[in-house]
Amino acid sequence: MNVLVYLVPIALALGLFGLAAFLWALKSGQFDDLDGAGWRAISDDDLPEDKRE
Amino acid sequence: MTESQDLSHFVRHPADGVAAMDLVVNGVYCGACIVAIEKGLGKEAGVRGARVNLANKRVTVEWDDGALEAPVILERLEALGYPAFPFTAEAADSVEAQEEKRLLRCLGVAAFGAMNVMLLSVSLWAGAENDPNAATRDLFHWLSALVALPCAAYAGMPFFESAARSIRAGALNMDVPISLGVILALALSVLQTVTHQHGSYYEGAVMLLMFLLAGRLLDQRMRRRTRDYAINLSAMRADRAVKLTDDGEARETPIAAVRPGDLVLARPGERIAVDGTVEDGRSEVDQSLVTGETAPAPVSPGAPVYAGTLNLTGALRIRVQNAGTGTFLDEVNGLLVNAVEQRSSYVRLADRAARLYVPVVHVTALLTFFAWLALGAGWQPALTIAITVLIITCPCALGLAVPAVQVVAAGALFRRGLILHSGEALERLADSDSVVFDKTGTLTLPRPVLANVADVAPADLALAGRLALASRHPLAKAIVEAAGAQSPLTAEEFPGEGVSGEFKGSPVRLGSVAWVAAEREAAPVAERWPDASLIALALPGRAVVFAIRQALRADAAAVVAELARERQVEILSGDREPAVALAARELGVTRYAAGLKPADKIARLKALKEAGRRPLMIGDGLNDAPALAAAYVSISPISAAHVAQAQADALFLGDCLAPVADAMRISTKARRLMVQNLWISAIYNAIAVPLAVLGFVTPLIAALAMSGSSVVVTLNALRARDPNRPRA
């Protein structure tokens, strides 16, 4: 059972990391406009003019 | 006289040297719109940035203070093809948004807790629980406690706070047993852990919070969405007044920035935006939105005018007054205060269930404790079993039973053009057993239309339409619409009388019957359409009379017939007897009353209530507002006066009355599903409680039973979606 000594902390740390990421996303307003986010992802604005389709 | 727009009321200053404005934008549907607006505004010199929110159809624009004027932004958006309307976000709005974020944060924490505690619990259930070497089990219990306690303390706050509030108020709500269940489950688990016992309820407690938070978040989001939508609609109605400044300048000003004592200009054909007295000018005013009376009333200096009335013939200068100083407003406000005070305190289904449920559960748990004690089980096992009873009865399914149905049904109604102000309105709609309609603006369309199209020669109508284009009079608009006229004749408008022009070399006139001397032709038309306003077209040697009236909504008869199948339908109108009688005849309604004052409407509703009925009131006018408040439940069209909208439990959109029938159908179904859900919870308890009382419940069974019942209740709630509607 010695494996628990590092597996349990790793599991908890990963979970906490996920929670922190979620809280950060919430705080930075990523859940304010759930409809718009999908469209922004496929917009080509970040590419230079000649690379756009 | 110059005219400009004053938008300073809407401009915020989030930082030094930065100005910002929030706008509601029409017609944003996809990514292309986002790009068009954000790029298009970004090109404007001085604009720091624009951000579109597609979910609630709003744009926030920021610019360097002083670099440009706010109206420029509106013009720019208009040029891009997106008409925009400024609005000020209310304080209550941001509180709601904060609350939603908080629930989402709590849900995230609870989900993290549930996942990790479950990870530990599943390994315990898989065998470590009964391991003769208790060290591993104890370690896992301590780890679970380490995760579950802080998570539950944080994620449970919304419930704990609400429970504390309800205990202070002396009325127990569902959050009391929820909080008690969660706290006791955790306390018992800690006790088990400390005393090296097996069996803990950490995972059950955190999972319960997660389920309940999900339900509560959906509820909150639905409410905020309908609220956002209502705010957008009122922004698009763009209530502005033309304010006259001391130096004679006319500035279009948002209504919120107009103060009592200001002087406001109302041009013919416009809605009057304020309550006040006429300072200067003569006109006729259509007060149908205020009193229900469709015949125009003459006004002269000194006469009171009310917001929402339509100025017909002449320009008026109006001195703005505080609400409540006019005689009619006084009367309405007085009645309104009374009606709101007497509003029957409806007890929500969920609260009624809670009142029944809480004492029963707590007494059962207490009896269990004493029974086991009497049987000689010792106080610790007896307490453990008693707490297990409380945990297993923790009303997870009961907490979801009603809100889940409300969210689904409110969403279904929203898609059909009905906005609910509160979830409990759904229950009251389903309970109502008689329907009381106002006529003007509710059964009829809020704007007048040409009634005798069939009796008029198309050529005459076309000519009248071309003449009518020269006038701003609302009745003229009805003729233009009916004729589909596009090319105006050169004509001169005589305010209050009509327009005069020339057609093929001979003079033609369109205007009031008296002005064109067409009394003889008008008599039969007036008899046929007693509620219509008449306009005559004078041609060389003859005259054509047009009857213009507020026609019934296209589907009014069908909707009234559908409602009348199960409920008693009645019309209470402030309009004249012949007009109301005609509408009632067309709709096949036998119970109606005409010429009613606001107090008469309330008296009638009271009589209905005293006869044991639960009336649904549907009305739009300022005169209906007290009646809307006094009724058991009420609905207003979106075109209604502000006061009426504020009193109504729901608003419907568009020119059709169908949302009202949909509301009755869906709410009846929703009510049935709510009761079903409560029964499902009751049956679940009927099975689970005896097991718990006898001491057979293990943590695994508790976790399965609690989540199982929640899922069943939620799935049942989805049936409120009502995918098949009977009409197209």
Side-chain angles (χ1 to χ4, degrees):
Chain A
M1 284 295 188
N2 286 338
V3 71
L4 290 179
V5 174
Y6 55 91
L7 273 190
V8 168
I10 288 176
L12 285 180
L14 283 175
L16 276 175
F17 176 73
L19 180 64
F22 170 74
L23 291 180
W24 168 78
L26 186 62
K27 199 172 173 107
S28 63
Q30 297 191 27
F31 287 83
D32 289 353
D33 178 14
L34 294 176
D35 299 346
W39 289 103
R40 286 176 198 281
I42 56 169
S43 114
D44 284 341
D45 283 357
D46 48 348
L47 298 179
E49 290 278 351
D50 52 343
K51 290 251 177 92
R52 289 184 198 174
E53 303 248 326
Chain B
M1 197 160 70
T2 58
E3 194 176 294
S4 60
Q5 251 192 340
D6 182 5
L7 294 177
S8 54
H9 176 72
F10 296 110
V11 178
R12 293 183 285 125
H13 295 279
D16 228 20
V18 181
M21 185 161 60
D22 299 309
L23 302 158
V24 173
V25 193
N26 240 347
V28 273
Y29 296 108
C30 65
C33 306
I34 297 181
V35 175
I37 291 175
E38 292 185 353
K39 286 266 137 117
L41 281 178
K43 277 191 202 123
E44 194 76 24
V47 171
R48 297 171 73 103
R51 179 88 187 171
V52 177
N53 186 327
L54 195 62
N56 55 18
K57 313 266 182 270
R58 292 174 183 175
V59 182
T60 304
V61 191
E62 287 192 346
W63 66 92
D64 294 322
D65 207 6
L68 73 164
E69 294 289 319
V72 175
I73 291 169
L74 292 192
E75 280 162 28
R76 183 80 198 132
L77 277 168
E78 182 94 48
L80 288 168
Y82 301 98
F85 308 88
F87 75 104
T88 37
E90 286 167 42
D93 197 36
S94 67
V95 170
E96 297 257 316
Q98 289 297 324
E99 179 65 20
E100 189 182 318
K101 268 201 170 166
R102 181 190 175 200
L103 285 174
L104 196 53
R105 220 163 37 227
C106 286
L107 180 63
V109 171
F112 158 80
M115 269 190 306
N116 288 284
V117 176
M118 197 55 87
L119 189 79
L120 298 164
S121 294
V122 168
S123 18
L124 284 178
W125 295 334
E129 183 94 330
N130 302 318
D131 192 341
N133 176 11
T136 313
R137 186 184 68 208
D138 280 354
L139 172 70
F140 274 32
H141 278 173
W142 280 115
L143 282 171
S144 297
L146 184 73
V147 177
L149 291 179
C151 283
Y154 184 80
M157 272 328 263
F159 303 98
F160 304 153
E161 281 168 10
S162 157
R165 264 200 307 276
S166 97
I167 289 171
R168 267 201 301 278
L172 297 186
N173 65 9
M174 225 28 130
D175 290 337
V176 176
I178 289 173
S179 305
L180 210 60
V182 169
I183 291 171
L184 284 177
L186 292 172
L188 177 67
S189 306
V190 172
L191 185 75
Q192 304 275 60
T193 308
V194 173
T195 54
H196 307 289
Q197 308 268 341
H198 64 88
S200 72
Y201 291 93
Y202 295 115
E203 73 290 323
V206 185
M207 212 170 56
L208 176 75
L209 284 177
M210 191 185 78
F211 273 113
L212 288 170
L213 280 167
R216 209 151 283 200
L217 178 70
L218 285 178
D219 187 40
Q220 178 77 14
R221 181 161 284 177
M222 187 71 226
R223 251 187 301 165
R224 198 164 78 93
R225 229 179 77 191
T226 51
R227 226 189 117 85
D228 279 354
Y229 196 67
I231 292 175
N232 285 6
L233 281 174
S234 68
M236 282 187 221
R237 278 173 64 169
D239 283 318
R240 307 216 182 129
V242 180
K243 189 165 130 183
L244 297 167
T245 52
D246 295 334
D247 44 12
E249 214 180 313
R251 287 176 80 84
E252 200 168 281
T253 312
I255 211 73
V258 176
R259 305 267 164 265
D262 285 350
L263 204 56
V264 161
L265 178 72
R267 289 166 294 205
E270 283 182 353
R271 276 208 188 276
I272 296 174
V274 296
D275 299 319
T277 45
V278 177
E279 186 103 340
D280 185 20
R282 268 166 210 287
S283 178
E284 284 191 320
V285 173
D286 173 359
Q287 301 196 327
S288 60
L289 191 57
V290 176
T291 60
E293 165 74 61
T294 44
V299 292
S300 53
V305 286
Y306 306 107
T309 54
L310 195 57
N311 183 18
L312 296 178
T313 47
L316 295 171
R317 282 159 188 269
I318 299 161
R319 181 72 67 186
V320 183
Q321 281 180 348
N322 268 326
T325 44
T327 47
F328 186 73
L329 280 179
D330 260 343
E331 189 188 336
V332 167
N333 279 333
L335 288 169
L336 201 53
V337 171
N338 273 331
V340 171
E341 272 172 10
Q342 286 168 13
R343 192 168 223 176
S344 54
S345 47
Y346 177 80
V347 185
R348 292 184 301 161
L349 207 55
D351 288 343
R352 265 185 284 170
R355 273 183 206 179
L356 205 69
Y357 185 80
V358 177
V360 170
V361 164
H362 291 178
V363 168
T364 311
L366 205 65
L367 288 179
T368 309
F369 173 71
F370 285 118
W372 279 97
L373 209 58
L375 289 172
W379 73 270
Q380 208 185 342
L383 189 66
T384 309
I385 292 172
I387 291 177
T388 320
V389 171
L390 279 181
I391 295 170
I392 198 99
T393 54
C394 189
C396 184
L398 214 49
L400 283 172
V402 173
V405 178
Q406 273 175 0
V407 169
V408 177
L413 284 173
F414 186 69
R415 280 192 296 279
R416 281 166 181 69
L418 192 107
I419 303 171
L420 286 176
H421 279 339
S422 69
E424 66 166 72
L426 210 56
E427 296 169 29
R428 284 187 282 129
L429 274 173
D431 279 350
S432 69
D433 55 5
S434 47
V435 185
V436 176
F437 277 105
D438 166 52
K439 181 184 77 77
T440 318
T442 307
L443 285 170
T444 64
L445 285 169
R447 53 176 190 281
V449 294
L450 185 60
N452 60 342
V453 182
D455 307 340
V456 178
D460 292 344
L461 180 59
L463 175 59
R466 295 180 63 189
L467 266 174
L469 276 173
S471 170
R472 298 183 67 159
H473 198 286
L475 295 181
K477 278 189 201 148
I479 292 186
V480 172
E481 209 174 287
Q486 282 174 344
S487 52
L489 275 183
T490 8
E492 188 187 354
E493 179 162 22
F494 296 88
E497 309 201 271
V499 285
S500 157
E502 202 168 276
F503 182 65
K504 289 185 182 161
S506 47
V508 285
R509 293 199 294 173
L510 178 75
S512 69
V513 171
W515 187 58
V516 302
E519 280 89 351
R520 195 169 48 80
E521 291 89 344
V525 181
E527 200 172 310
R528 168 85 176 81
W529 310 101
D531 60 337
S533 309
L534 302 184
I535 281 195
L537 171 69
L539 299 160
R542 64 192 179 97
V544 183
V545 178
F546 299 97
I548 292 163
R549 62 191 285 251
Q550 295 189 308
L552 292 173
R553 290 177 191 260
D555 59 349
V559 168
V560 167
E562 188 183 333
L563 292 176
R565 268 207 297 278
E566 283 162 17
R567 295 173 170 88
Q568 170 186 318
V569 177
E570 200 168 325
I571 299 175
L572 301 180
S573 176
D575 205 357
R576 290 155 298 155
E577 164 82 25
V580 182
L582 185 68
R585 202 165 55 241
E586 282 179 49
L587 293 169
V589 176
T590 48
R591 294 162 179 270
Y592 66 87
L596 297 183
K597 298 226 171 334
D600 302 334
K601 291 197 180 188
I602 291 197
R604 178 68 194 132
L605 284 171
K606 261 206 186 118
L608 276 174
K609 277 181 157 177
E610 269 157 26
R613 293 192 158 270
R614 293 183 290 263
L616 156 66
M617 170 85 202
I618 305 168
D620 73 320
L622 185 55
N623 63 328
D624 295 316
L628 290 169
Y632 185 71
V633 57
S634 48
I635 304 181
S636 275
I638 193 68
S639 55
H642 284 295
V643 193
Q645 282 192 12
Q647 295 307 324
D649 293 304
L651 296 176
F652 71 91
L653 314 172
D655 280 349
C656 287
L657 212 50
V660 175
D662 289 337
M664 303 315 285
R665 202 181 59 252
I666 292 178
S667 65
T668 310
K669 188 171 178 192
R671 162 101 197 187
R672 204 173 59 234
L673 289 174
M674 285 177 198
V675 174
Q676 258 176 29
N677 271 352
L678 292 175
W679 275 112
I680 292 176
S681 312
I683 291 170
Y684 152 78
N685 277 317
I687 298 170
V689 170
L691 289 177
V693 169
L694 296 175
F696 290 141
V697 168
T698 63
L700 176 60
I701 293 179
L704 284 179
M706 285 200 287
S707 46
S709 62
S710 302
V711 169
V712 171
V713 164
T714 310
L715 287 180
N716 193 40
L718 288 180
R719 299 200 297 141
R721 271 182 304 184
D722 187 46
N724 46 333
R725 56 191 310 194
R727 277 179 308 275

